[in-house]
Every structure is written in C-alpha cells, then in structure tokens.
Amino acid sequence: MPTKLEGLRLYDNNWAPSPRRVRIFLAEKDLEVELVPVDLGEGGQFAEPFASRNPFQAVPVLELEDGRNIAESQAICRYLEHRFPTPPLMGRDAVEVAQIEMWTRRVEIDGYLQVAAALRHSHPAFAGRAVPGVREGFEQIPALVDLSKQVFARMIDCVESQLGEHPFVAGENFSVADIVLLVTLDFAKGGKRMDLTLPEHTARWYEEISARPSASA
C-alpha cells in the first residue's frame, strides 16, 4: 500500500500532461496525496481560490501542510525527492544528478514544450490564448507548428542515440527524465500532434516504460 501523505494536496487534472508527471513520480516512490481536480475546460485555473495559489494559473500545484504552495511539476518533484529520497529519481551522486537534469531539460525544452506549442498554435480551442495561463490577448502563430515539429524530431534523434547505448534516458537508472519523456510522447500521441513513428531504441524504451505500473497514474 502506498504511504499516504496527510496534509499534502495536489491540484490536478486527469487529462493534462504536467500533473501526470507528478502522479507518476509519486507512484514510483509509492506515495499518495489527496488529489484536488481543477476543471481546465471550464476555466477552473482562472477561478479563485485556485488562481491565487499559482500566479501563472496552471496545474499542477502542491499545497503543503502549512498552506504554502509549490507550482511547476519539476519543482514539485524536486521537493518530493528531497523529502522522500528513496528510491532516488533525481540522481545518486553529483554526476548523475547533473546528467538527469541535463536530459530532463533537453526533453522538456525540445520535446514537451514543442508539443505544447504545436497544440496551442493550431487547435481552435486556443484561438486568442496561445500562451498558457491567459484567457486572451495572444494570437496563434501557425508557422510555429512546423518549427516545433522540426525541433521535436531532432530531440527524438538525440534520445534515440542515447537509448542505443543506455537502458534509460539519463543512463543506467530509471529517473525523472524517463517520466518526462514518457509523458511527452503520450502528449504528442494525443491528437497526432507530432510524427510518432519511433525509432528502434526509443520504441523499445517506450514499450518497457509504458508497462511500468506507475505509467497508469
């Protein structure tokens, strides 16, 4: 049975990719927190009291026992890693910590953010609000979609080379970098936002990581 963390509340959405990163991280550590759903379809991220918890008005947000709030999935995972270090998902020594951070940033910047940009600059639901956390005032730029797809493809090439030499994204151990890549690929798969004809080593990795119990979190 997972360890229930009393007093912690995760403001969540069951279809948004960023909160899923935290849920998988928690599952890998065999931890459980109270989930508080935020209805993004109805603009729940802009409504009080949630909007005051995160000035960027986005999920996830972790509410601590003392009422303080931590936003951004990577920041939440870092807090949890420091407080509950076993099993380590952000590195066992200085070199591994740095390598995991390096690969996590590569996947986030050239993968996850590119999928998000392709979605926000193409889907009718984001017309006039192509920037996260705003209701209006940012028009879509269709040309960014093709650019995002090119950057994403380059990221896949880099990951493929890495996974041809190592079992996991950042080396020999499963880490938060694997969580971020899994969520990124599933995000890209939704709505066929990116070409997801995965090359050999990435396809092998994707099948193995998707089979982990935490992947369903």
Side-chain angles (χ1 to χ4, degrees), residues 67-121:
R68 287 182 292 177
N69 297 280
I70 301 172
E72 301 299 322
S73 56
Q74 190 69 5
I76 294 170
C77 290
R78 188 164 295 282
Y79 166 82
L80 293 168
E81 177 83 354
H82 183 82
R83 189 168 169 183
F84 307 96
T86 304
L89 297 177
M90 290 185 156
R92 294 160 173 78
D93 57 37
V95 172
E96 192 178 33
V97 167
Q99 289 175 332
I100 290 171
E101 186 72 11
M102 174 183 73
W103 279 101
T104 299
R105 288 182 61 78
R106 286 176 175 172
V107 174
E108 280 185 327
I109 295 169
D110 289 348
Y112 183 86
L113 293 180
Q114 302 308 317
V115 180
L119 170 65
R120 287 187 165 273
H121 289 280

Side-chain angles (χ1 to χ4, degrees), residues 146-167:
D146 285 339
L147 177 61
S148 293
K149 289 182 177 181
Q150 293 177 47
V151 176
F152 180 87
R154 180 176 177 272
M155 183 275 295
I156 293 294
D157 288 343
C158 291
V159 166
E160 173 69 5
S161 178
Q162 172 75 349
L163 291 173
E165 299 179 5
H166 304 280

Side-chain angles (χ1 to χ4, degrees), residues 10-55:
L10 181 67
Y11 290 83
D12 181 46
N13 179 274
N14 62 7
W15 53 260
S18 291
R20 185 183 174 214
R21 288 169 54 172
V22 179
R23 296 197 306 271
I24 294 175
F25 194 90
L26 285 164
E28 287 286 339
K29 287 187 175 287
D30 204 25
L31 301 172
E32 181 180 321
V33 302
E34 179 185 355
L35 300 180
V36 182
V38 178
D39 190 340
L40 304 182
E42 294 296 324
Q45 69 272 39
F46 302 115
E48 296 295 348
F50 176 80
S52 295
R53 298 185 183 281
N54 181 9

